């Protein structure tokens, strides 16, 4: 534990999910990672889907877009990029352009990440049904030219990128004027719009049964080849009947699966003392562990992962963190996390 504390004290300060944190070594916490987690079978994947219903030259940065790109291990992560503002362009469509492998924004993709849509994919049209909060995206035929193993990753990247825009909660795919009822290669069903309920980087928790499980999404940490820290969302299937925030925090403490390259962000002896929702709608999470004492700053990486995880599973509620009955929980970014903290607008700003 003393070694962990020394490592924590070496963490550099950072703005809330906006400034990259450069780390030495493999992460904040070392030691236990959970047992290997098998991918879910096809029928479970189908059930979750059903319940969800040319390289640009870098120039002046006019707008920011958060898109979901594959890292070196194939896991999707949100990456916030600055791209040129195109007069009269559809902002939602422009964010999807970043997802095209070798597309006109390829020069803006940071090292260690890759766009997931097939080369040659064109976004023919994007419309948003404001009443139903539905984005309808029409691609050309090149969209269908991908490997079967990439099919779910493509759908996840599209869904999570689109639903990151205000007023969009679900999406639908068309190709050359025809609505898809299933994906063309591995036949993932598209008989209803997709939402974030489909999950991302899907895994099964060790103690969950496929026949009686629910999804929660947690945020672990990883490093780019240049040593820049970023957050990776992972959806775990956990036993049904649990409070979503409690279950998500339990999975965050459980840690990443062995061999996936992700890093623990919270000590594995941490316990959740209580979770309360106040009259202001903010969720207060009280944590207990043996590491932090009055007057010590808590690693921003830990606190941000808790904020992201709680807000992801509580309809973007503001988050307050208590720890070991400390009067204040202050991060290495000098921010007081005892006060309500909102989920940030931009995640993982990684400079190229």
């Amino acid at each position: 534990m003393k070694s962990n504390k020394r490592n924590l004290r070496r963490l550099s300060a950072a703005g809330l999910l906006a400034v990259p944190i450069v780390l030495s070594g493999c992460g904040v916490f070392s030691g236990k990672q959970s047992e290997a987690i098998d991918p879910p079978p096809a029928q479970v994947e189908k059930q979750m889907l059903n319940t969800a219903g040319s390289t640009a030259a870098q120039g002046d940065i006019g707008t920011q877009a958060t898109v979901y790109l594959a890292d070196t291990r194939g896991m999707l992560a949100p990456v916030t990029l600055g791209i040129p503002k195109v007069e009269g362009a559809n902002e939602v469509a422009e964010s999807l352009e970043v997802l095209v492998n070798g597309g006109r924004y390829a020069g803006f993709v940071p090292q260690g990440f890759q766009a997931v849509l097939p080369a040659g994919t064109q976004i023919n049209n994007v419309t948003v049904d404001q009443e139903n909060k539905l984005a309808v995206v029409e691609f050309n035929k090149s969209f269908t030219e991908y490997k079967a193993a990439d099919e779910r990753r493509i759908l996840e990247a599209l869904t999570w990128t689109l639903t990151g825009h205000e007023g969009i909660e679900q999406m639908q795919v068309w190709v050359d004027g025809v609505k898809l009822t299933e994906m063309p290669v591995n036949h993932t069903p598209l008989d209803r719009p997709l939402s974030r309920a489909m999950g991302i980087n899907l895994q099964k928790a060790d103690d969950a049964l496929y026949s009686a499980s629910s999804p929660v999404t947690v945020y672990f940490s990883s490093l780019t080849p240049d040593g820049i820290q970023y957050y990776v969302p992972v959806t775990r299937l956990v036993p049904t009947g649990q409070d979503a925030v409690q279950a998500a925090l339990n999975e965050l403490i459980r840690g990443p699966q062995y061999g996936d390259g992700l890093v623990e962000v919270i000590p594995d002896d941490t316990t959740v003392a209580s979770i309360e929702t106040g009259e202001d709608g903010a969720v207060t999470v009280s944590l207990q562990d043996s590491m932090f004492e009055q007057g010590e700053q808590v690693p921003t990486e830990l606190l941000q992962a808790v904020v992201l995880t709680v807000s992801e599973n509580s309809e973007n509620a503001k988050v307050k963190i208590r720890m070991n009955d400390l009067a204040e929980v202050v991060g290495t970014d000098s921010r007081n996390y005892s006060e309500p903290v909102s989920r940030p607008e931009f995640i993982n700003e990684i400079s190229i």
Side-chain angles (χ1 to χ4, degrees):
M1 191 61 68
K2 289 181 179 179
S3 174
N4 275 348
K5 188 174 282 190
R6 285 196 297 271
N7 288 338
L8 291 170
R9 285 170 175 159
R10 286 197 289 266
L11 283 174
S12 58
L16 181 65
L17 301 180
V19 180
I21 304 171
V22 181
L23 306 177
S24 60
C26 62
V28 185
F29 303 101
S30 57
K32 179 186 80 66
Q33 288 182 312
S34 61
E35 298 292 326
I37 298 173
D38 297 327
Q43 65 268 27
V44 175
E45 199 167 287
K46 180 177 180 179
Q47 183 179 357
M48 289 189 69
L49 288 164
N50 285 343
T51 16
S54 80
T55 304
Q58 295 187 45
D60 295 333
I61 305 304
T63 187
Q64 285 184 295
T66 300
V67 299
Y68 284 75
L69 303 172
D71 66 12
T72 54
R73 296 177 179 85
M75 302 195 80
L76 291 174
V79 178
T80 298
L81 306 174
I83 58 176
K85 186 174 180 62
V86 179
E87 193 66 32
N90 182 315
E91 183 179 323
V92 177
E94 290 302 295
S95 69
L96 296 184
E97 293 283 357
V98 183
L99 300 183
V100 178
N101 191 10
R104 72 170 185 264
Y105 290 128
F108 292 84
V109 174
Q111 182 182 2
F113 295 92
Q114 184 174 358
V116 298
L117 297 186
T121 297
Q122 295 177 4
I123 294 87
N124 292 338
N125 193 33
V126 178
T127 58
V128 178
D129 177 346
Q130 296 180 348
E131 182 178 352
N132 294 308
K133 299 183 178 180
L134 170 69
V136 178
V137 185
E138 182 179 351
F139 298 101
N140 68 339
K141 190 175 181 181
S142 295
F143 170 78
T144 66
E145 298 169 358
Y146 58 86
K147 297 177 181 177
D150 295 331
E151 186 166 283
R152 183 178 175 92
R153 187 181 298 116
I154 287 170
L155 288 175
E156 290 177 0
L158 283 172
T159 301
W160 284 68
T161 296
L162 286 165
T163 54
H165 291 273
E166 186 175 358
I168 299 177
E169 294 182 356
Q170 49 186 349
M171 76 99 182
Q172 198 174 76
V173 178
W174 292 51
V175 172
D176 285 344
V178 177
K179 175 186 171 184
L180 297 188
T181 57
E182 64 178 18
M183 287 292 278
V185 179
N186 215 32
H187 308 295
T188 300
L190 297 176
D191 52 339
R192 63 192 67 192
L194 299 182
S195 74
R196 289 195 174 193
M198 74 177 295
I200 188 168
N201 299 318
L202 192 61
Q203 300 172 347
K204 184 181 79 70
D206 301 337
D207 56 351
L209 299 174
Y210 285 121
S211 59
S213 61
S214 302
V216 295
T217 298
V218 303
Y219 283 78
F220 296 119
S221 183
S222 191
L223 293 172
T224 70
D226 292 331
I228 297 176
Q229 182 267 343
Y230 61 97
Y231 297 90
V232 178
V234 172
T235 298
R236 290 263 173 93
L237 296 176
V238 300
T240 55
Q242 303 179 70
D243 174 78
V245 174
Q246 177 78 57
L249 288 171
N250 289 344
E251 292 304 315
L252 187 66
I253 295 167
R254 186 195 294 262
Q257 76 173 44
Y258 181 78
D260 66 7
L262 300 180
V263 179
E264 285 183 304
V265 292
I266 190 168
D268 55 21
D269 66 347
T270 303
T271 59
V272 181
S274 66
I275 300 170
E276 301 173 355
T277 301
E279 293 181 0
D280 59 355
V283 177
T284 300
V285 177
S286 297
L287 303 174
Q288 295 285 336
D289 80 342
S290 59
M291 187 174 291
F292 303 104
E293 300 172 358
Q294 187 67 45
E296 288 187 307
Q297 290 186 327
V298 181
T300 302
E301 185 182 12
L302 182 162
L303 298 170
Q304 291 173 348
V306 171
V307 170
L308 280 169
T309 297
V310 172
S311 63
E312 189 71 59
N313 295 279
S314 59
E315 299 182 349
N316 290 329
K318 291 184 178 182
V319 182
K320 296 191 286 187
I321 301 175
R322 295 174 182 164
M323 186 170 287
N324 299 336
D325 300 319
L326 301 179
E328 290 185 339
V329 177
V330 179
T332 48
D333 57 356
S334 299
R335 183 166 189 170
N336 183 2
Y337 287 80
S338 303
E339 299 296 327
V341 176
S342 297
R343 181 185 179 88
E345 183 179 1
F346 300 116
I347 303 174
N348 293 336
E349 285 192 272
I350 301 174
S351 301
I352 55 177

